Each structure stands twice: as structure tokens, then as C-alpha cells.
Amino acid sequence: MTHEPTILPASNDSTETSTESSRRDFLRRSLQLATGAALMSSLAPGIQSAAWAAGSDKPEKEEVRIGFIPLTDCASVVMASVMGFDKKYGIKITATKEASWAGIRDKLVNGELDAAHVLYGLIYGVQLGIGGPKKDMAALMTLNHNGQGITLSNQLKDKGVTDGQKLAALIARKEKDYTFAQTFPTGTHAMWLYYWLATYGINPIKDVKTIVVPPPQMVANMRIGNMDGYCVGEPWNQRAIIDKIGFSAATSQDVWADHPEKVLGTTADFVKKYPNTARAMIMAVLEASMWIDASPANRSKTAETIAAKAYVNTDVDVIRSRMIGQYENGLGKSWSEKNHMKFYNDGAVNFPYLSDGMWFMTQHKRWGLLKDHPDYLAVAKKVNQTALYKEAAAQVKAPIPKSELRESKLVDGTVWNGKDPKAYADGFKVKG
């Protein structure tokens, strides 16, 4: 907390000499400058001006409810609470387990949740009024890169399908209708699934049927034959392999290495009303992210923690293997995955790049979820809280990228850099 500098009272002594008066003025100005300098030097450079102007950075709301879905990438939110990083920044995080992304959306919009571990594309869907009610939203930080997957059923394997090309050949024969599940219409898993199918010439809107299934229910639904494949976060791809009901056809990092995935999301109203609380949440979760990625031992401890019934509710080894980069595909191949799920990665993960948010909007336009092109950059600047993130990052000494846009090459060879989103969205051959 900052305080106003102490100012010495002016003298009321009418007999004070001009020399004494000048001396008092000099001391008063010196004390003002010294007090201000001491306060400013105690703050991180990136937030000095903001904190000084605000008067206090004490969280306005000290207890916050952050929703999560039982997935490996809820880890940084959970560990921020379990390890006490929240208390360090003056807040208490209550991590609340939710049943579905639609439930998280509704609870964010109506204020039952203060924030959530949430799909990047869900935040933008609500902002634009697609996939539910329209409300101004805020992405405070990116929680993770990578670590999702596309699982196909063993029934497809029995038909000779082991990859995207063979799946495309099977679907082209039109022997039956094939069904694929994702977790939310505007979400990340829908976009990875659609992008991967389209790479092999399969139109996800016209050539197959898609359904929505909450992440923890994916394995059970595939077991009883409700779908032929799905895209979901870990550990539910690895769980299908362990249960011998499916195999990994692709990982999400095969589609886009170091892709953005979940964000710490809230409403624009919350940020406006509780800016210091929002900043404190970023700092607590950012420090938890650093801790998780600091060592294999920390990742292992994280897997043990989140495997508990209160969180993901599965066997520790099902989470741990892919969390530390040890992959198998259910077809006899095992490998060490360099692009496994990352939570911090020396600061590369967490900045809410404007281009990341814009990418999801280009895909929403590509698949007909948006009828018209939005003002991509303006919407991203409104949603992604880059200034607030920079203040928080300065406090915890996390690096800040030089640009708010980044460049990546995706599985089909296209390059995304955020510079011409309209042309990018319109440039795909396979679209809705």
C-alpha cells in the first residue's frame, strides 16, 4: 500500500525571519522529494506510475471465487491456492470445480464466479454474442500452451484409420455418418478439431456431425459409442489410451506448436470495479505458473495435487506422464514430447498476445459462427488486458515481450501473425 508523502505544516509565526522561512521551505520540499522517491523505488519499474496515481494497490476484494474444469491445465489456478501464492498478494482464492464450459460461462456472466480457468475462444464468443449471452469480457493472462489432443476410437482403428489422411479416405466413402465431439462451440477444442480435420480436406461443418460433450465425460461417451473421435484437454486423451478405447491421432501442438489454450478470464465489469484484485490474481497465478515449470519435481507434485477428487479426479500417472512430456499414442509409439503443456516457459506462455485473441475470431468467421468480420484488433485490445498484465508481470519479475503480436506457422503451412486478419480468415479453402 502506498501513502501520501508527509508535508511539514507551514509556520504561523509572524515574526519568522526570511532566512528561517526559506530554510523551512527547503526542508519541506526535501522531505516531500525524499519520501516520494523512497516509495517509488520500492515499486517495480513497470507499475510505479500506475500505483502512484491509484494511491493504493491493496485488493478491493480479498476473497475471490475462480472456477475451473477438471483438466490438467487448471493446475496454475489450483496451485496458486494450494501453495499460498494468493495470500502473498493479499487475496484468498477459492477454486470451484464446475461441470461444463457452459456452466462457467453462465456463472461468469451472472457474477457467481469472479474469474475462471476458461477456454480462450469462449471469452471471445461471449464478447461477440455468439455461443451464449453477449457481455464485455476480459482475458487477464494466458494460463498454458499446448497439451490438448485429438483422440479417435478403436473402432476407427479397426477400419484401418491411424491418421488424418486415412480418416479422410474413410469419410469420403460415405459408408455412414461420423460424429466428433468438442467441448464448446466457440472454444479452443472445437477450433483445433476443425482445423485438423480441414487440413486433410474434411469439412467439419458439412462432412461430419459434431456434438458438445464436457471434458470429464468424453471417455465415457466414447466407450458407449456416442462418437468416433473427440478433441479435449489432458488427461482425457491419455485416459482413453489407458482404458483401451481410443488412440491419439494428433496433439494440439501438432496443429500449432505453443498455441494459446486456457486463459484466466473474467468480465470487463470486474476489472473496472476491482482492478487491484484482478492484478493480484494475475500475480498469484503467474507465480504459481513459474513454480510449476521450475522443475520436474514441481510438475510431479502438481500432478499429485490436481489428481485428487476435489480437482481432476483421476489416477496420478494418467496426469503425470503427459504433463512431464512422456507420450504414447495407443498405436505402439512412445516419445518424449518437447512441446508438452507449458505453464510459464520462461515467460513465453502468459502474456495475453493480441494476435492470439484475434486468431480465434478468424476461425469463428471461417466456420460461420460470425457472419461479418469484426474489428479484430479493436476487439482484442478491448478484451486482452495487456496493460494490467504488464503491471503484474513487473511485480513478479516476469519478462514482457517486445510486441503484442507474435508469429506462428500452423500444421497446414499457413503463417499467422495478426497483421491482416480479414485476409487470413477469408483465405482458407475449407470453410463453413
Side-chain angles (χ1 to χ4, degrees):
M1 180 184 297
T2 58
H3 301 276
E4 291 297 324
T6 303
I7 300 176
L8 292 174
S11 172
N12 292 322
D13 187 354
S14 60
T15 63
E16 181 178 60
T17 66
S18 60
T19 302
E20 289 172 335
S21 177
S22 298
R23 181 173 175 273
R24 285 183 181 274
D25 287 343
F26 173 78
L27 288 172
R28 182 170 65 250
R29 288 194 300 271
S30 297
L31 184 56
Q32 283 180 292
L33 290 170
T35 305
L39 284 168
M40 293 300 283
S41 65
S42 69
L43 295 172
I47 68 160
Q48 287 175 355
S49 60
W52 187 263
S56 171
D57 58 6
K58 184 180 187 298
E60 305 89 352
K61 185 173 186 177
E62 296 179 6
E63 294 189 13
V64 291
R65 291 172 58 83
I66 303 183
F68 71 92
I69 293 292
L71 290 161
T72 301
D73 52 30
C74 75
S76 55
V77 168
V78 170
M79 298 310 285
S81 175
V82 170
M83 299 291 292
F85 294 120
D86 52 351
K87 295 180 182 64
K88 182 175 179 180
Y89 298 107
I91 57 174
K92 180 181 184 300
I93 292 174
T94 298
T96 72
K97 188 175 182 176
E98 304 298 331
S100 69
W101 292 121
I104 278 192
R105 173 201 62 198
D106 294 345
K107 289 183 179 182
L108 278 176
V109 168
N110 67 26
E112 287 182 61
L113 291 173
D114 296 308
H117 149 258
V118 64
L119 299 163
Y120 217 134
L122 184 153
I123 291 292
Y124 274 83
V126 175
Q127 177 72 29
L128 296 167
I130 54 177
K134 180 178 173 62
K135 189 175 180 68
D136 286 343
M137 302 298 286
L140 301 178
M141 64 183 289
T142 305
L143 294 178
N144 67 293
H145 284 171
N146 308 324
Q148 320 302 295
I150 295 167
T151 293
L152 301 182
S153 70
N154 282 346
Q155 285 75 18
L156 287 180
K157 181 174 65 174
D158 293 341
K159 291 178 178 289
V161 173
T162 55
D163 56 30
Q165 287 182 326
K166 292 175 181 177
L167 178 64
L170 177 65
I171 290 173
R173 295 205 293 266
K174 298 184 178 180
E175 297 172 348
K176 58 166 278 189
D177 292 332
Y178 291 93
T179 299
F180 294 84
Q182 34 88 358
T183 65
F184 192 79
T186 65
T188 55
H189 302 119
M191 298 306 109
W192 310 139
L193 176 65
Y194 294 179
Y195 205 103
W196 182 77
L197 290 171
T199 298
Y200 296 99
I202 304 166
N203 190 311
I205 309 301
K206 301 172 183 177
D207 297 337
V208 297
K209 179 182 178 183
T210 59
I211 60 174
V212 174
V213 175
Q217 298 176 25
M218 286 292 191
V219 175
N221 275 272
M222 181 173 277
R223 182 178 286 112
I224 61 175
N226 282 350
M227 67 276 216
D228 301 286
Y230 60 70
C231 184
V232 74
E234 296 301 341
W236 306 120
N237 300 289
Q238 178 68 6
R239 181 83 257 178
I241 294 171
I242 297 297
D243 290 358
K244 300 186 185 307
I245 65 165
F247 66 95
S248 287
T251 66
S252 56
Q253 53 266 30
D254 290 335
V255 177
W256 177 358
D258 291 335
H259 66 79
E261 183 50 39
K262 307 300 188 300
V263 294
L264 183 62
T266 185
T267 62
D269 288 342
F270 184 91
V271 175
K272 184 177 181 181
K273 188 174 182 180
Y274 308 113
N276 296 338
T277 305
R279 187 189 304 111
M281 286 194 295
I282 297 171
M283 290 189 287
V285 176
L286 186 52
E287 189 158 342
S289 304
M290 293 177 178
W291 183 87
I292 292 169
D293 274 10
S295 71
N298 288 3
R299 281 183 165 257
S300 185
K301 179 177 173 59
T302 299
E304 292 170 9
T305 301
I306 67 173
K309 187 176 181 180
Y311 304 115
V312 180
N313 190 24
T314 194
D315 299 331
V316 175
D317 288 342
V318 174
I319 295 177
R320 183 190 283 121
S321 58
R322 289 196 171 191
M323 192 172 185
I324 63 174
Q326 297 306 310
Y327 274 62
E328 58 179 322
N329 66 357
L331 298 171
K333 179 185 176 184
S334 299
W335 72 98
S336 181
E337 173 62 57
K338 67 176 182 178
N339 294 321
H340 58 78
M341 188 179 291
K342 307 285 178 61
F343 294 90
Y344 180 65
N345 194 21
D346 297 325
V349 171
N350 309 105
F351 186 78
Y353 286 95
L354 300 181
S355 54
D356 286 356
M358 292 160 66
W359 185 87
F360 288 102
M361 289 186 281
T362 69
Q363 299 307 295
H364 295 162
K365 179 63 175 67
R366 175 185 183 182
W367 300 119
L369 297 167
L370 285 170
K371 293 181 179 179
D372 302 308
H373 288 284
D375 187 335
Y376 292 96
L377 184 58
V379 175
K381 284 182 175 180
K382 191 174 183 180
V383 175
N384 287 22
Q385 303 296 303
T386 56
L388 195 63
Y389 178 85
K390 289 176 183 178
E391 293 172 9
Q395 280 280 59
V396 300
K397 297 180 172 59
I400 301 295
K402 293 180 180 179
S403 174
E404 296 187 341
L405 305 176
R406 64 182 180 124
E407 183 171 293
S408 305
K409 181 182 284 188
L410 278 73
V411 64
D412 58 356
T414 60
V415 173
W416 167 246
N417 55 26
K419 293 180 180 177
D420 193 349
K422 184 176 179 180
Y424 179 84
D426 288 341
F428 293 98
K429 292 181 180 178
V430 181
K431 59 183 74 173

